[in-house]
Amino acid sequence: MYMTAQTKWELFPKKYGFFPYIFLIYLFIPATLLMKEDGIKRVVGYLLLLLFLISYRQLYHEEGTGRFAFWLGLQMIIIGYQSMVYDYNFLYLGFFTANFIGWYADKKQFQAAWFALMGTLSLPILYHVIFTGDFSKEQFYMIPFLIVILVSPFGIRSMIKNMELEKELDEANAKIKELVKREERTRIAQDLHDTLGHTLSLITLKSQLVERLITKDAKRAIEEVSEIETTSRSALDQVRELVTDMKAQTLAEEVVQAEQLLKAANMNVQINFPFEMHVDSSLTEHMLSLCLKEAVTNVVKHSRASKCWLLYREEEQAIIIQVKDNGIGIDNQSVEGNGLVGMKERLALVDGSLSVSKNSGTTVEMKVPKVKKPEKEGEIHA
């Protein structure tokens, strides 16, 4: 029969390393003290010390179980008995017990065990002072050590709490990293959808146009095929940019591409965009570009429009972009579809908003606030 990992015997759990073995050194002191005893008293003393060693081993294996308190109580009984019957220096075994008392996470259990330890250390001293009278003034040097024994459970408990908090913090950080990765994947997927959706729509429309022209106007069909090749190469470049550094698209570049897509869809396009647009940050411009791309793609795919307007205007505190068409309009169900939710989320990142209205077609309005620049010192306003 093979011995499994669960049934394999071990002196101390591996997770505690060499620390439990190092503590065993302190058992040599009581073992030496018992050598001055004779006969049955010495034998009983060593048997009790062996039982103490067994309880020490078991406490490492019984952590968190109901038997933990039993072995802890047995240690206190052995310490108290040997300190009274053999030598008061057996009180130093309290360092072992104090270490395990600090393991209690429950406050009431910790307090009960601590008071039990205090009684275990106090009773032998009272016994020697009252009944034997051999606790002389020179032996008061033990008092500081006994105080350390009683204080140490608080330090150990605090240290364990800090270790648990650090562990929870590490787990929380790991979860945050995983969530960030997921969010990054979602963002990249959204950007790929927004970017490639526009380009692939253009390729589809041009392919349909080539299909119609190939028998009627071969020369123009060849030109369109050449443009399809150029567009596909552009799509490949866009994918590389998104995967490598998510290069931001400017509004001016997006307007040009939007015009190409709308014209390829045989729509009459009217554009009212200034030559220079004063967008406060590259992030805001990138979000507006992606939203403009999505809105134009929706017009091509769903509106059945013959005309589209791309409008830009600046107000005192906001920049507004409108995409209007004269198509079939948008129903209530489509308001939360066709990428509009993603557009709202993108604009929300830059404190912007999205509104959709139906009036002889559909109007999609994107609005982002301007960042008010701080006034220079000494600047005077009329």
Side-chain angles (χ1 to χ4, degrees):
M1 292 180 64
Y2 292 95
M3 186 174 290
T4 63
Q6 292 180 344
T7 60
K8 184 179 179 181
W9 189 90
E10 57 183 359
L11 184 58
F12 298 108
K14 292 181 179 179
K15 66 178 182 178
Y16 296 106
F18 290 100
F19 179 78
Y21 298 94
I22 294 173
F23 237 63
L24 292 175
I25 297 173
Y26 296 101
L27 290 177
F28 284 103
I29 297 175
T32 303
L33 291 173
L34 289 173
M35 292 180 65
K36 67 181 181 180
E37 305 293 340
D38 296 318
I40 189 67
K41 190 175 181 181
R42 178 192 289 184
V43 174
V44 172
Y46 278 118
L47 288 175
L48 288 174
L49 192 60
L50 177 62
L51 185 58
F52 185 90
L53 176 60
I54 293 172
S55 69
Y56 175 69
R57 186 259 178 188
Q58 289 301 115
L59 282 167
Y60 277 103
H61 289 275
E62 303 289 355
E63 181 185 2
T65 68
R67 294 182 294 274
F68 186 83
F70 167 78
W71 292 108
L72 197 64
L74 181 62
Q75 274 198 356
M76 294 185 195
I77 292 172
I78 294 172
I79 292 171
Y81 178 81
Q82 289 189 313
S83 298
M84 289 188 289
V85 176
Y86 291 89
D87 193 294
Y88 50 80
N89 284 294
F90 276 90
L91 289 174
Y92 288 118
L93 291 175
F95 279 108
F96 290 84
T97 308
N99 171 64
F100 294 110
I101 290 175
W103 290 13
Y104 275 117
D106 183 79
K107 188 176 181 181
K108 290 183 179 179
Q109 291 179 330
F110 172 79
Q111 290 176 343
W114 185 84
F115 280 112
L117 176 63
M118 185 173 66
T120 300
L121 299 179
S122 302
L123 287 175
I125 294 175
L126 293 174
Y127 172 81
H128 284 288
V129 171
I130 297 173
F131 295 102
T132 65
D134 63 352
F135 199 86
S136 61
K137 290 182 180 179
E138 289 79 10
Q139 290 153 350
F140 270 92
Y141 71 88
M142 291 188 64
I143 300 298
F145 293 97
L146 296 179
I147 293 174
V148 172
I149 292 174
L150 291 173
V151 171
S152 61
F154 294 93
I156 293 169
R157 188 167 185 258
S158 177
M159 180 184 68
I160 292 174
K161 277 188 175 181
N162 288 336
M163 291 172 63
E164 290 176 349
L165 288 174
E166 288 178 1
K167 183 180 178 181
E168 291 176 1
L169 182 60
D170 290 339
E171 291 175 353
N173 287 333
K175 289 181 180 179
I176 290 171
K177 288 180 181 179
E178 182 61 29
L179 290 173
V180 169
K181 288 180 181 178
R182 291 182 184 178
E183 181 64 25
E184 184 67 11
R185 292 191 196 105
T186 302
R187 182 177 67 86
I188 292 173
Q190 184 68 41
D191 286 342
L192 285 170
H193 168 267
D194 293 343
T195 302
L196 291 182
H198 168 276
T199 307
L200 293 176
S201 296
L202 179 59
I203 292 174
T204 301
L205 290 169
K206 284 187 172 292
S207 298
Q208 292 172 349
L209 180 60
V210 169
E211 187 179 2
R212 293 195 298 269
L213 292 174
I214 198 166
T215 56
K216 298 178 181 180
D217 190 345
K219 183 178 179 181
R220 186 181 171 188
I222 293 172
E223 293 175 355
E224 293 293 338
V225 169
S226 178
E227 287 188 19
I228 289 174
E229 182 184 359
T230 302
T231 304
S232 64
R233 291 183 183 278
S234 174
L236 182 59
D237 291 338
Q238 288 171 348
V239 171
R240 286 170 178 166
E241 289 174 356
L242 286 169
V243 172
T244 53
D245 59 358
M246 301 300 291
K247 181 180 178 181
Q249 180 89 320
T250 66
L251 268 173
E253 292 170 339
E254 188 53 50
V255 170
V256 173
Q257 292 188 11
E259 183 180 12
Q260 291 176 352
L261 178 62
L262 291 167
K263 286 184 177 179
N266 293 321
M267 288 190 194
N268 185 356
V269 186
Q270 290 193 9
I271 299 175
N272 182 16
F273 267 69
F275 182 75
E276 292 185 0
M277 289 163 279
H278 304 90
V279 184
D280 296 312
S281 71
S282 57
L283 175 62
T284 300
E285 185 170 12
H286 185 50
M287 293 299 106
L288 284 173
S289 299
L290 291 173
C291 290
L292 177 61
K293 183 193 300 289
E294 182 68 33
V296 171
T297 302
N298 283 341
V299 171
V300 172
K301 288 182 177 180
H302 307 292
S303 70
R304 302 181 193 172
S306 60
K307 193 172 184 178
C308 184
W309 293 262
L310 305 181
L311 308 174
Y312 175 99
R313 75 174 188 272
E314 291 188 22
E315 296 181 350
E316 184 178 353
Q317 297 181 344
I319 295 173
I320 297 172
I321 294 176
Q322 288 184 334
V323 178
K324 300 172 63 176
D325 65 69
N326 64 346
I328 60 174
I330 191 168
D331 55 35
N332 293 331
Q333 189 176 6
S334 298
V335 170
E336 296 303 323
N338 299 335
L340 295 179
V341 173
M343 293 170 66
K344 287 181 180 180
E345 292 175 350
R346 290 181 181 281
L347 291 172
L349 291 174
V350 290
D351 297 323
S353 60
L354 179 77
S355 63
V356 182
S357 59
K358 180 179 178 180
N359 184 15
S360 300
T362 302
T363 301
V364 177
E365 181 176 284
M366 295 153 272
K367 185 176 183 179
V368 294
K370 285 184 175 179
V371 178
K372 188 176 181 181
K373 296 181 180 179
E375 297 178 357
K376 296 180 180 179
E377 292 186 12
E379 187 175 351
I380 300 175
H381 297 275

